[in-house]
């Protein structure tokens, strides 16, 4: 057989016509992809013997069955035994086998937990109903690190890789306008990937609602507000403070503390932050700004995306000497008062 070895895609849920129609709609044309509709594992493996395969894809493991094994397809014993047979096939032939599995409402792989123990790699495709973006996350990898994250966008022509994932979490910047009051950007880590996200704050004098937070831990937000009142002298007591992280992201690490404080200050002082400034740092109870892990990776991301200025803790300054900062100005601050005096100075 001339040319590259083909991939066999086995569908247990859809007919060849259905998959073919979708491939035509998405203009997928290839001689290297074979389709086969079957749910019988022995029949599937029999078909592979006549082909010199590059890979075998089973969609899905919950729909295939083995003759002679009790229970219906998708049952505990069937899923376990089918996976074992496919594992032996992969080891014997050296052909990679991709098993597509259903997930439960809680986001776990449906079926026995042993399924995850048998296979070499477990990948989850995650996505929100209201978002076109999908995250491919590794939770097990016998061949390498699980510290990787793939970001894709669902388009009319299928999933497309996103080269700049930070675009997902940043709103369109309205340059030098009043709309920027209360917006601040920080860098979060997910595995080895760094993302810029935008934090929004709104301070309303005399509001009947004292605090409302989305995407920021309530206790953390309360602490940052209290430190701003006590250590920075902001009179936030009479103000309702609303916090939000753009695109529904949850801020679970302390690296965003400084951006939360900057966003609150910007809204309270009605002082728009300039476009192209990022904040990275943890805030202590004394108002001091502390360093956070992977500082070099975070700052590299800020530099790569063309940000003009980055506010960081003073203690992190020395560790950045080896970085190529390009045109990005790094401003190191010891505490919140120093940050406010530098950033919110009349230009």
């Amino acid at each position: 057989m001339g040319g590259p070895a083909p991939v066999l895609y086995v569908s247990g849920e859809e007919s060849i016509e259905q998959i073919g129609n979708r491939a035509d709609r998405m203009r997928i044309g290839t001689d290297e992809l074979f389709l086969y509709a079957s749910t019988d594992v022995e029949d599937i493996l029999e078909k592979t013997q006549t082909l010199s395969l590059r890979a075998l894809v089973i969609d899905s493991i919950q729909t295939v069955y083995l003759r002679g094994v009790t229970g219906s397809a998708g049952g505990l014993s069937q899923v376990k035994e089918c996976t074992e047979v496919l594992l032996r096939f992969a080891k014997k032939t050296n052909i990679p086998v991709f098993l597509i599995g259903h997930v439960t409402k809680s986001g776990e792989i449906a079926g026995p937990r042993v399924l995850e123990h048998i296979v070499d790699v477990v990948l989850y495709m995650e996505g929100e109903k209201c978002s076109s973006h999908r995250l491919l996350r590794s939770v097990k990898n016998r061949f390498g690190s699980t510290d990787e994250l793939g970001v894709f966008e669902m388009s009319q022509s299928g999933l497309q890789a996103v080269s700049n994932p930070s675009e997902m979490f940043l709103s369109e910047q309205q340059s030098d306008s009043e709309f920027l009051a209360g917006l601040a950007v920080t860098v979060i880590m997910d595995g080895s990937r760094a993302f810029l996200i935008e934090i929004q704050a709104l301070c309303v004098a005399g509001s009947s609602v004292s605090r409302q937070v989305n995407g920021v831990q309530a206790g953390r937000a309360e602490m940052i507000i209290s430190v701003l009142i006590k250590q920075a002298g902001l009179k936030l007591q009479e103000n309702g403070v609303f916090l939000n992280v753009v695109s529904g992201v949850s801020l679970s690490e302390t690296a965003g503390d400084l951006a939360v404080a900057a966003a609150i200050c910007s809204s309270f002082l009605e002082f728009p932050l300039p476009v192209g400034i990022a904040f990275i740092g943890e805030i202590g109870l004394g108002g001091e700004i502390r360093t956070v892990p992977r500082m070099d990776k975070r700052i590299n991301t800020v530099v790569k995306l063309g940000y003009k200025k980055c506010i960081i803790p003073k203690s992190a300054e020395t560790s950045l000497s080896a970085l190529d900062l390009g045109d990005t100005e790094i401003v190191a601050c010891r505490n919140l008062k120093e940050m406010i005096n530098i950033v919110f100075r009349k230009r």
Side-chain angles (χ1 to χ4, degrees), residues 5 35 45 52 114 131 152 188 208 212-213 270 311 316:
L35 299 179
L45 296 183
S52 178
V114 73
S131 172
F152 301 89
I188 61 167
S208 57
Q212 185 69 49
V213 296
E270 295 182 358
I311 313 295

Side-chain angles (χ1 to χ4, degrees), residues 226-253:
S226 300
V227 171
L228 283 170
I229 294 168
K230 176 74 175 174
Q231 307 296 350
L234 263 68
K235 301 193 184 317
L236 295 166
Q237 296 92 328
E238 305 300 318
N239 282 256
V241 179
F242 299 82
L243 287 170
N244 178 53
V245 182
V246 171
S247 294
V249 183
S250 289
L251 186 63
S252 56
E253 55 174 334

Side-chain angles (χ1 to χ4, degrees), residues 94-248:
N94 239 12
I95 295 171
V97 177
F98 294 85
L99 304 177
I100 297 170
H102 300 164
V103 293
T104 61
K105 286 181 180 176
S106 61
E108 300 290 320
I109 294 178
R113 197 76 191 178
V114 73
L115 182 60
E116 290 191 36
H117 300 312
I118 295 171
V119 299
D120 294 314
V121 177
V122 179
L123 302 172
Y124 279 92
M125 182 70 85
E126 302 172 355
E128 299 294 329
K129 285 180 183 176
C130 55
S131 172
S132 62
H133 289 94
R134 302 288 181 268
L135 304 179
L136 186 66
R137 196 185 302 276
S138 169
V139 295
K140 177 185 178 180
N141 188 357
R142 285 178 179 160
F143 304 110
S145 170
T146 55
D147 249 9
E148 293 298 333
L149 185 75
V151 183
F152 301 89
E153 184 173 17
M154 183 62 80
S155 67
Q156 287 185 330
S157 55
L159 283 174
Q160 305 291 328
V162 176
S163 56
N164 176 16
S166 296
E167 288 174 353
M168 294 161 52
F169 311 122
L170 297 174
S171 63
E172 291 184 15
Q173 302 279 359
Q174 309 286 337
S175 182
D176 298 326
S177 74
E178 67 274 19
F179 297 112
L180 283 175
L183 306 187
V185 172
T186 189
V187 187
I188 61 167
M189 299 295 300
D190 195 323
S192 64
R193 299 287 288 269
F195 297 96
L196 266 70
I197 63 166
E198 192 174 77
I199 294 163
Q200 302 174 319
L202 178 67
C203 296
V204 183
S207 170
S208 57
V209 180
S210 59
R211 306 280 185 270
Q212 185 69 49
V213 296
N214 291 315
V216 182
Q217 294 171 355
R220 195 88 204 155
E222 197 65 54
M223 187 208 83
I224 293 167
I225 292 165
S226 300
V227 171
L228 283 170
I229 294 168
K230 176 74 175 174
Q231 307 296 350
L234 263 68
K235 301 193 184 317
L236 295 166
Q237 296 92 328
E238 305 300 318
N239 282 256
V241 179
F242 299 82
L243 287 170
N244 178 53
V245 182
V246 171
S247 294

Side-chain angles (χ1 to χ4, degrees), residues 12-48:
E13 300 180 359
E14 293 177 288
S15 67
I16 299 297
E17 289 76 18
Q18 284 176 301
I19 299 168
N21 287 340
R22 195 179 306 125
D24 291 340
R25 193 179 76 240
M26 294 166 69
R27 295 188 175 90
I28 298 171
T30 176
D31 297 327
E32 299 163 26
L33 179 63
F34 292 177
L35 299 179
Y36 186 52
S38 177
T39 54
D40 186 338
V41 171
E42 290 169 25
D43 173 48
I44 293 164
L45 296 183
E46 206 173 294
K47 278 284 181 291
T48 63

Side-chain angles (χ1 to χ4, degrees), residues 66 68-72 77-78:
L66 262 175
V69 175
T70 55
S72 58
S77 54
Q78 281 286 359

